[in-house]
Amino acid sequence: MPIPEDVTGFELDADVRQELKSLPKTLADDVARNLVMVARLLDSEPEEAYQYSRIALRLASRVAAVREAAGFASYMTQRYSEALTEFRAARRMTGRADLWPVMADCERGLGRPERALAMAGEPEVKQLDKAGQVEMRLVAAGARTDMEQFDAAVVTLQSPELASNSVQPWTARLRYAYAEALIAADRGDEAREWFAKAAEADSEGATNASERLAEIDGLEFVDALDPELEEPAEQAEAPAKPRGGGVPDEREIFEDEEDVEEFYDDDDLEIDEEFDGVAPERSSDAKA
């Protein structure tokens, strides 16, 4: 696959470039440039990112960073079995536990929530940093939900991190997941409060908490700058113009109000006063 000329490979983190030094220089450069493309496209074009990751994997399957990148590209394209294979390989090479939560989430993706739940109780969880432990809690709650254990999902998410007023990188997603768990457990009144708290903490737009809050409140978001939404109103205001300047067939011109009232019945004259000419816009999906 083509790679833009401005991609050099030096965009990678220093630790990844260090891993690639085990390869011949020309090969290392090729692998590095493909990994850069994976990183660039992973969120916006995951399928393309996956293709670049397979090239890097074919060139350097014994490099842990390559296996990890291939794992995330597979995960983002819902190829959970491939992702789990790559994550396991990367973990064997490095001995690190930081991939444990995403490995558990792959088990969920494969329809095995009970395995994900079992992983949440393994010793590897204690090796995770705070962010990793919160991520593991999110995955465990998702597994409970998959198993329709909705009250247990709520309890799983109740933690000091959830109760804290401090805003951390994981705060918005944790609060959002808790609100969704409350909805599933038929505790909608409490859910509104937590969607509001999630929206307050979500300065990066990691969740659609604001939209979910608006749904609960019965509001709709409309993009006032969308030119397509103005079309119906413009068409309603513009008078119909017959072709050729004549009067269309089966249509008469009435000169006074009485003629109009005789021609139209009451149903024809009804107007939907609530219609504003603007089509409603659909609201938009952290990963557990």
Side-chain angles (χ1 to χ4, degrees):
M1 294 182 66
I3 297 177
E5 293 182 1
D6 65 320
V7 175
T8 65
F10 286 98
E11 299 89 344
L12 295 175
D13 292 341
D15 56 343
V16 176
R17 295 202 305 271
Q18 184 63 35
E19 282 191 58
L20 294 178
K21 286 185 177 180
S22 62
L23 304 172
K25 186 177 185 312
T26 302
L27 180 59
D29 290 343
D30 288 343
V31 173
R33 296 180 72 213
N34 278 282
L35 291 181
V36 171
M37 294 304 296
V38 174
R40 279 191 180 185
L41 299 169
L42 194 59
D43 292 327
S44 60
E45 300 290 343
E47 191 61 43
E48 288 188 33
Y50 173 79
Q51 299 302 326
Y52 282 107
S53 76
R54 303 311 290 181
I55 295 173
L57 188 60
R58 187 170 66 249
L59 295 174
S61 61
R62 296 185 180 182
V63 176
V66 172
R67 303 303 291 264
E68 184 173 333
F72 277 108
S74 298
Y75 176 79
M76 291 295 288
T77 55
Q78 300 183 13
R79 294 175 169 92
Y80 297 116
S81 181
E82 287 184 25
L84 193 55
T85 297
E86 301 307 333
F87 288 141
R88 283 172 175 168
R91 185 170 177 273
R92 283 195 302 270
M93 293 174 180
T94 64
R96 303 194 323 263
D98 56 314
L99 294 173
W100 197 251
V102 72
M103 290 169 62
D105 206 37
C106 286
E107 295 287 4
R108 285 187 61 209
L110 291 169
R112 303 190 293 239
E114 67 285 347
R115 293 194 187 183
L117 207 54
M119 291 178 69
E122 293 294 331
E124 284 81 356
V125 176
K126 295 181 180 180
Q127 301 175 33
L128 299 171
D129 60 13
K130 181 63 67 177
Q133 290 177 6
V134 170
E135 196 66 37
M136 192 71 244
R137 190 177 291 274
L138 288 168
V139 173
R144 291 287 190 189
T145 299
D146 294 342
M147 299 166 70
E148 298 186 357
Q149 299 174 2
F150 304 122
D151 291 328
V154 170
V155 173
T156 299
L157 292 169
Q158 292 171 345
S159 61
E161 293 79 21
L162 179 67
S164 175
N165 291 323
S166 174
V167 176
Q168 302 294 335
W170 60 77
T171 301
R173 291 181 57 238
L174 181 59
R175 292 176 179 178
Y176 182 90
Y178 188 60
E180 289 285 17
L182 289 169
I183 290 284
D186 293 325
R187 294 164 62 178
D189 292 342
E190 296 173 70
R192 188 200 180 284
E193 174 189 354
W194 284 98
F195 278 128
K197 289 183 177 181
E200 180 182 352
D202 195 2
S203 59
E204 301 297 323
T207 72
N208 66 336
S210 296
E211 288 82 354
R212 296 290 281 117
L213 185 61
E215 287 177 9
I216 292 174
D217 291 342
L219 302 176
E220 293 183 358
F221 285 99
V222 175
D223 184 359
L225 299 179
D226 188 345
E228 294 184 2
L229 295 180
E230 298 178 1
E231 232 175 76
E234 292 175 357
Q235 291 175 355
E237 294 174 1
K241 295 182 179 180
R243 294 181 183 178
V247 179
D249 294 339
E250 300 180 357
R251 182 176 301 181
E252 297 178 334
I253 296 177
F254 299 97
E255 296 181 355
D256 55 44
E257 293 181 1
E258 290 184 3
D259 289 335
V260 174
E261 290 176 358
E262 289 178 5
F263 186 77
Y264 293 101
D265 59 27
D266 292 339
D267 291 338
D268 291 328
L269 298 176
E270 286 183 358
I271 298 175
D272 186 353
E273 295 179 351
E274 296 180 356
F275 181 69
D276 58 2
V278 180
E281 181 176 344
R282 294 178 62 189
S283 57
S284 63
D285 34 214
K287 172 181 102 168

PDB file of all heavy atoms in Angstrom, residues 40-63:
ATOM      1  N   ARG A  40      -1.789   6.691  12.438  1.00  0.00           N
ATOM      2  CA  ARG A  40      -2.527   7.804  11.829  1.00  0.00           C
ATOM      3  C   ARG A  40      -3.972   7.445  11.516  1.00  0.00           C
ATOM      4  O   ARG A  40      -4.878   8.269  11.665  1.00  0.00           O
ATOM      5  CB  ARG A  40      -1.842   8.235  10.521  1.00  0.00           C
ATOM      6  CG  ARG A  40      -0.656   9.148  10.687  1.00  0.00           C
ATOM      7  CD  ARG A  40      -0.267   9.705   9.322  1.00  0.00           C
ATOM      8  NE  ARG A  40       0.878  10.604   9.409  1.00  0.00           N
ATOM      9  CZ  ARG A  40       1.360  11.289   8.375  1.00  0.00           C
ATOM     10  NH1 ARG A  40       0.802  11.161   7.176  1.00  0.00           N
ATOM     11  NH2 ARG A  40       2.391  12.101   8.523  1.00  0.00           N
ATOM     12  N   LEU A  41      -4.201   6.228  11.080  1.00  0.00           N
ATOM     13  CA  LEU A  41      -5.505   5.848  10.547  1.00  0.00           C
ATOM     14  C   LEU A  41      -6.371   5.036  11.507  1.00  0.00           C
ATOM     15  O   LEU A  41      -7.520   4.763  11.206  1.00  0.00           O
ATOM     16  CB  LEU A  41      -5.315   5.039   9.257  1.00  0.00           C
ATOM     17  CG  LEU A  41      -4.603   5.764   8.110  1.00  0.00           C
ATOM     18  CD1 LEU A  41      -4.251   4.775   6.998  1.00  0.00           C
ATOM     19  CD2 LEU A  41      -5.487   6.880   7.561  1.00  0.00           C
ATOM     20  N   LEU A  42      -5.818   4.671  12.646  1.00  0.00           N
ATOM     21  CA  LEU A  42      -6.502   3.727  13.525  1.00  0.00           C
ATOM     22  C   LEU A  42      -7.904   4.190  13.927  1.00  0.00           C
ATOM     23  O   LEU A  42      -8.853   3.404  13.920  1.00  0.00           O
ATOM     24  CB  LEU A  42      -5.669   3.478  14.783  1.00  0.00           C
ATOM     25  CG  LEU A  42      -6.082   2.280  15.640  1.00  0.00           C
ATOM     26  CD1 LEU A  42      -6.032   0.987  14.840  1.00  0.00           C
ATOM     27  CD2 LEU A  42      -5.186   2.178  16.865  1.00  0.00           C
ATOM     28  N   ASP A  43      -8.057   5.465  14.252  1.00  0.00           N
ATOM     29  CA  ASP A  43      -9.355   5.967  14.691  1.00  0.00           C
ATOM     30  C   ASP A  43     -10.261   6.357  13.531  1.00  0.00           C
ATOM     31  O   ASP A  43     -11.466   6.119  13.568  1.00  0.00           O
ATOM     32  CB  ASP A  43      -9.165   7.175  15.616  1.00  0.00           C
ATOM     33  CG  ASP A  43      -8.530   6.781  16.944  1.00  0.00           C
ATOM     34  OD1 ASP A  43      -8.801   5.657  17.409  1.00  0.00           O
ATOM     35  OD2 ASP A  43      -7.768   7.577  17.501  1.00  0.00           O
ATOM     36  N   SER A  44      -9.687   6.964  12.501  1.00  0.00           N
ATOM     37  CA  SER A  44     -10.500   7.492  11.409  1.00  0.00           C
ATOM     38  C   SER A  44     -10.777   6.481  10.300  1.00  0.00           C
ATOM     39  O   SER A  44     -11.882   6.429   9.746  1.00  0.00           O
ATOM     40  CB  SER A  44      -9.827   8.730  10.805  1.00  0.00           C
ATOM     41  OG  SER A  44      -8.540   8.408  10.293  1.00  0.00           O
ATOM     42  N   GLU A  45      -9.792   5.671   9.961  1.00  0.00           N
ATOM     43  CA  GLU A  45      -9.925   4.678   8.888  1.00  0.00           C
ATOM     44  C   GLU A  45      -9.360   3.331   9.354  1.00  0.00           C
ATOM     45  O   GLU A  45      -8.312   2.885   8.895  1.00  0.00           O
ATOM     46  CB  GLU A  45      -9.186   5.142   7.623  1.00  0.00           C
ATOM     47  CG  GLU A  45      -9.676   6.440   7.033  1.00  0.00           C
ATOM     48  CD  GLU A  45     -11.056   6.318   6.406  1.00  0.00           C
ATOM     49  OE1 GLU A  45     -11.471   5.171   6.145  1.00  0.00           O
ATOM     50  OE2 GLU A  45     -11.709   7.345   6.194  1.00  0.00           O
ATOM     51  N   PRO A  46     -10.033   2.689  10.296  1.00  0.00           N
ATOM     52  CA  PRO A  46      -9.471   1.468  10.899  1.00  0.00           C
ATOM     53  C   PRO A  46      -9.197   0.339   9.911  1.00  0.00           C
ATOM     54  O   PRO A  46      -8.244  -0.421  10.093  1.00  0.00           O
ATOM     55  CB  PRO A  46     -10.524   1.063  11.932  1.00  0.00           C
ATOM     56  CG  PRO A  46     -11.778   1.754  11.502  1.00  0.00           C
ATOM     57  CD  PRO A  46     -11.341   3.027  10.862  1.00  0.00           C
ATOM     58  N   GLU A  47     -10.000   0.227   8.859  1.00  0.00           N
ATOM     59  CA  GLU A  47      -9.773  -0.846   7.890  1.00  0.00           C
ATOM     60  C   GLU A  47      -8.456  -0.633   7.150  1.00  0.00           C
ATOM     61  O   GLU A  47      -7.695  -1.592   6.908  1.00  0.00           O
ATOM     62  CB  GLU A  47     -10.939  -0.918   6.913  1.00  0.00           C
ATOM     63  CG  GLU A  47     -10.935  -2.168   6.037  1.00  0.00           C
ATOM     64  CD  GLU A  47     -11.033  -3.458   6.835  1.00  0.00           C
ATOM     65  OE1 GLU A  47     -11.831  -3.523   7.778  1.00  0.00           O
ATOM     66  OE2 GLU A  47     -10.293  -4.403   6.493  1.00  0.00           O
ATOM     67  N   GLU A  48      -8.154   0.614   6.785  1.00  0.00           N
ATOM     68  CA  GLU A  48      -6.878   0.901   6.141  1.00  0.00           C
ATOM     69  C   GLU A  48      -5.728   0.683   7.117  1.00  0.00           C
ATOM     70  O   GLU A  48      -4.665   0.169   6.738  1.00  0.00           O
ATOM     71  CB  GLU A  48      -6.857   2.338   5.615  1.00  0.00           C
ATOM     72  CG  GLU A  48      -7.740   2.552   4.399  1.00  0.00           C
ATOM     73  CD  GLU A  48      -7.539   3.929   3.788  1.00  0.00           C
ATOM     74  OE1 GLU A  48      -6.400   4.436   3.838  1.00  0.00           O
ATOM     75  OE2 GLU A  48      -8.517   4.488   3.271  1.00  0.00           O
ATOM     76  N   ALA A  49      -5.930   1.098   8.372  1.00  0.00           N
ATOM     77  CA  ALA A  49      -4.908   0.872   9.387  1.00  0.00           C
ATOM     78  C   ALA A  49      -4.605  -0.616   9.515  1.00  0.00           C
ATOM     79  O   ALA A  49      -3.438  -1.023   9.666  1.00  0.00           O
ATOM     80  CB  ALA A  49      -5.365   1.435  10.731  1.00  0.00           C
ATOM     81  N   TYR A  50      -5.642  -1.433   9.444  1.00  0.00           N
ATOM     82  CA  TYR A  50      -5.474  -2.885   9.525  1.00  0.00           C
ATOM     83  C   TYR A  50      -4.593  -3.397   8.392  1.00  0.00           C
ATOM     84  O   TYR A  50      -3.709  -4.240   8.609  1.00  0.00           O
ATOM     85  CB  TYR A  50      -6.840  -3.564   9.485  1.00  0.00           C
ATOM     86  CG  TYR A  50      -6.774  -5.062   9.396  1.00  0.00           C
ATOM     87  CD1 TYR A  50      -6.512  -5.837  10.529  1.00  0.00           C
ATOM     88  CD2 TYR A  50      -6.971  -5.723   8.180  1.00  0.00           C
ATOM     89  CE1 TYR A  50      -6.447  -7.222  10.441  1.00  0.00           C
ATOM     90  CE2 TYR A  50      -6.912  -7.102   8.086  1.00  0.00           C
ATOM     91  CZ  TYR A  50      -6.649  -7.851   9.222  1.00  0.00           C
ATOM     92  OH  TYR A  50      -6.578  -9.217   9.131  1.00  0.00           O
ATOM     93  N   GLN A  51      -4.801  -2.889   7.166  1.00  0.00           N
ATOM     94  CA  GLN A  51      -3.997  -3.329   6.026  1.00  0.00           C
ATOM     95  C   GLN A  51      -2.528  -2.985   6.213  1.00  0.00           C
ATOM     96  O   GLN A  51      -1.644  -3.794   5.912  1.00  0.00           O
ATOM     97  CB  GLN A  51      -4.542  -2.701   4.734  1.00  0.00           C
ATOM     98  CG  GLN A  51      -5.986  -3.076   4.411  1.00  0.00           C
ATOM     99  CD  GLN A  51      -6.201  -4.583   4.287  1.00  0.00           C
ATOM    100  OE1 GLN A  51      -5.309  -5.311   3.831  1.00  0.00           O
ATOM    101  NE2 GLN A  51      -7.382  -5.044   4.686  1.00  0.00           N
ATOM    102  N   TYR A  52      -2.249  -1.791   6.705  1.00  0.00           N
ATOM    103  CA  TYR A  52      -0.847  -1.412   6.969  1.00  0.00           C
ATOM    104  C   TYR A  52      -0.245  -2.271   8.077  1.00  0.00           C
ATOM    105  O   TYR A  52       0.940  -2.627   8.034  1.00  0.00           O
ATOM    106  CB  TYR A  52      -0.769   0.064   7.354  1.00  0.00           C
ATOM    107  CG  TYR A  52      -0.867   1.018   6.185  1.00  0.00           C
ATOM    108  CD1 TYR A  52      -2.016   1.771   5.972  1.00  0.00           C
ATOM    109  CD2 TYR A  52       0.184   1.159   5.278  1.00  0.00           C
ATOM    110  CE1 TYR A  52      -2.121   2.636   4.890  1.00  0.00           C
ATOM    111  CE2 TYR A  52       0.090   2.016   4.189  1.00  0.00           C
ATOM    112  CZ  TYR A  52      -1.069   2.754   4.001  1.00  0.00           C
ATOM    113  OH  TYR A  52      -1.158   3.607   2.936  1.00  0.00           O
ATOM    114  N   SER A  53      -1.066  -2.606   9.071  1.00  0.00           N
ATOM    115  CA  SER A  53      -0.555  -3.431  10.167  1.00  0.00           C
ATOM    116  C   SER A  53      -0.176  -4.827   9.685  1.00  0.00           C
ATOM    117  O   SER A  53       0.786  -5.426  10.173  1.00  0.00           O
ATOM    118  CB  SER A  53      -1.594  -3.528  11.288  1.00  0.00           C
ATOM    119  OG  SER A  53      -2.645  -4.427  10.954  1.00  0.00           O
ATOM    120  N   ARG A  54      -0.910  -5.351   8.709  1.00  0.00           N
ATOM    121  CA  ARG A  54      -0.589  -6.690   8.189  1.00  0.00           C
ATOM    122  C   ARG A  54       0.732  -6.671   7.425  1.00  0.00           C
ATOM    123  O   ARG A  54       1.486  -7.643   7.435  1.00  0.00           O
ATOM    124  CB  ARG A  54      -1.717  -7.188   7.279  1.00  0.00           C
ATOM    125  CG  ARG A  54      -3.079  -7.248   7.920  1.00  0.00           C
ATOM    126  CD  ARG A  54      -3.097  -7.939   9.258  1.00  0.00           C
ATOM    127  NE  ARG A  54      -2.872  -9.373   9.178  1.00  0.00           N
ATOM    128  CZ  ARG A  54      -2.858 -10.189  10.210  1.00  0.00           C
ATOM    129  NH1 ARG A  54      -3.053  -9.694  11.439  1.00  0.00           N
ATOM    130  NH2 ARG A  54      -2.643 -11.471  10.065  1.00  0.00           N
ATOM    131  N   ILE A  55       1.010  -5.547   6.754  1.00  0.00           N
ATOM    132  CA  ILE A  55       2.300  -5.428   6.062  1.00  0.00           C
ATOM    133  C   ILE A  55       3.430  -5.414   7.081  1.00  0.00           C
ATOM    134  O   ILE A  55       4.434  -6.131   6.935  1.00  0.00           O
ATOM    135  CB  ILE A  55       2.327  -4.148   5.200  1.00  0.00           C
ATOM    136  CG1 ILE A  55       1.301  -4.243   4.078  1.00  0.00           C
ATOM    137  CG2 ILE A  55       3.729  -3.935   4.622  1.00  0.00           C
ATOM    138  CD1 ILE A  55       1.134  -2.962   3.288  1.00  0.00           C
ATOM    139  N   ALA A  56       3.275  -4.600   8.121  1.00  0.00           N
ATOM    140  CA  ALA A  56       4.304  -4.536   9.166  1.00  0.00           C
ATOM    141  C   ALA A  56       4.479  -5.894   9.823  1.00  0.00           C
ATOM    142  O   ALA A  56       5.614  -6.319  10.116  1.00  0.00           O
ATOM    143  CB  ALA A  56       3.916  -3.483  10.204  1.00  0.00           C
ATOM    144  N   LEU A  57       3.383  -6.606  10.032  1.00  0.00           N
ATOM    145  CA  LEU A  57       3.444  -7.923  10.665  1.00  0.00           C
ATOM    146  C   LEU A  57       4.178  -8.924   9.782  1.00  0.00           C
ATOM    147  O   LEU A  57       4.957  -9.758  10.273  1.00  0.00           O
ATOM    148  CB  LEU A  57       2.018  -8.407  10.954  1.00  0.00           C
ATOM    149  CG  LEU A  57       1.864  -9.684  11.774  1.00  0.00           C
ATOM    150  CD1 LEU A  57       2.487  -9.526  13.148  1.00  0.00           C
ATOM    151  CD2 LEU A  57       0.380 -10.035  11.895  1.00  0.00           C
ATOM    152  N   ARG A  58       3.947  -8.838   8.490  1.00  0.00           N
ATOM    153  CA  ARG A  58       4.625  -9.739   7.561  1.00  0.00           C
ATOM    154  C   ARG A  58       6.139  -9.475   7.528  1.00  0.00           C
ATOM    155  O   ARG A  58       6.941 -10.399   7.382  1.00  0.00           O
ATOM    156  CB  ARG A  58       4.039  -9.568   6.159  1.00  0.00           C
ATOM    157  CG  ARG A  58       4.561 -10.584   5.149  1.00  0.00           C
ATOM    158  CD  ARG A  58       3.791 -10.543   3.843  1.00  0.00           C
ATOM    159  NE  ARG A  58       3.977  -9.279   3.136  1.00  0.00           N
ATOM    160  CZ  ARG A  58       3.046  -8.367   2.969  1.00  0.00           C
ATOM    161  NH1 ARG A  58       1.828  -8.549   3.475  1.00  0.00           N
ATOM    162  NH2 ARG A  58       3.287  -7.260   2.299  1.00  0.00           N
ATOM    163  N   LEU A  59       6.517  -8.217   7.735  1.00  0.00           N
ATOM    164  CA  LEU A  59       7.927  -7.840   7.675  1.00  0.00           C
ATOM    165  C   LEU A  59       8.675  -8.107   8.982  1.00  0.00           C
ATOM    166  O   LEU A  59       9.876  -8.383   8.961  1.00  0.00           O
ATOM    167  CB  LEU A  59       8.059  -6.348   7.325  1.00  0.00           C
ATOM    168  CG  LEU A  59       7.572  -5.928   5.939  1.00  0.00           C
ATOM    169  CD1 LEU A  59       7.629  -4.408   5.803  1.00  0.00           C
ATOM    170  CD2 LEU A  59       8.403  -6.593   4.844  1.00  0.00           C
ATOM    171  N   ALA A  60       7.955  -7.995  10.108  1.00  0.00           N
ATOM    172  CA  ALA A  60       8.667  -8.072  11.399  1.00  0.00           C
ATOM    173  C   ALA A  60       7.761  -8.646  12.484  1.00  0.00           C
ATOM    174  O   ALA A  60       7.425  -7.965  13.450  1.00  0.00           O
ATOM    175  CB  ALA A  60       9.160  -6.688  11.786  1.00  0.00           C
ATOM    176  N   SER A  61       7.410  -9.896  12.365  1.00  0.00           N
ATOM    177  CA  SER A  61       6.475 -10.513  13.306  1.00  0.00           C
ATOM    178  C   SER A  61       7.093 -10.785  14.679  1.00  0.00           C
ATOM    179  O   SER A  61       6.375 -11.082  15.633  1.00  0.00           O
ATOM    180  CB  SER A  61       5.934 -11.818  12.733  1.00  0.00           C
ATOM    181  OG  SER A  61       6.992 -12.739  12.505  1.00  0.00           O
ATOM    182  N   ARG A  62       8.433 -10.677  14.776  1.00  0.00           N
ATOM    183  CA  ARG A  62       9.082 -10.951  16.050  1.00  0.00           C
ATOM    184  C   ARG A  62       9.324  -9.687  16.873  1.00  0.00           C
ATOM    185  O   ARG A  62      10.009  -9.739  17.909  1.00  0.00           O
ATOM    186  CB  ARG A  62      10.411 -11.681  15.817  1.00  0.00           C
ATOM    187  CG  ARG A  62      10.229 -13.068  15.191  1.00  0.00           C
ATOM    188  CD  ARG A  62      11.526 -13.815  15.076  1.00  0.00           C
ATOM    189  NE  ARG A  62      11.334 -15.137  14.480  1.00  0.00           N
ATOM    190  CZ  ARG A  62      12.292 -16.039  14.292  1.00  0.00           C
ATOM    191  NH1 ARG A  62      13.549 -15.738  14.651  1.00  0.00           N
ATOM    192  NH2 ARG A  62      12.024 -17.207  13.745  1.00  0.00           N
ATOM    193  N   VAL A  63       8.775  -8.572  16.446  1.00  0.00           N
ATOM    194  CA  VAL A  63       8.901  -7.314  17.191  1.00  0.00           C
ATOM    195  C   VAL A  63       7.604  -7.078  17.950  1.00  0.00           C
ATOM    196  O   VAL A  63       6.523  -7.043  17.366  1.00  0.00           O
ATOM    197  CB  VAL A  63       9.186  -6.137  16.237  1.00  0.00           C
ATOM    198  CG1 VAL A  63       9.220  -4.818  16.998  1.00  0.00           C
ATOM    199  CG2 VAL A  63      10.508  -6.373  15.500  1.00  0.00           C
TER     200      VAL A  63
END
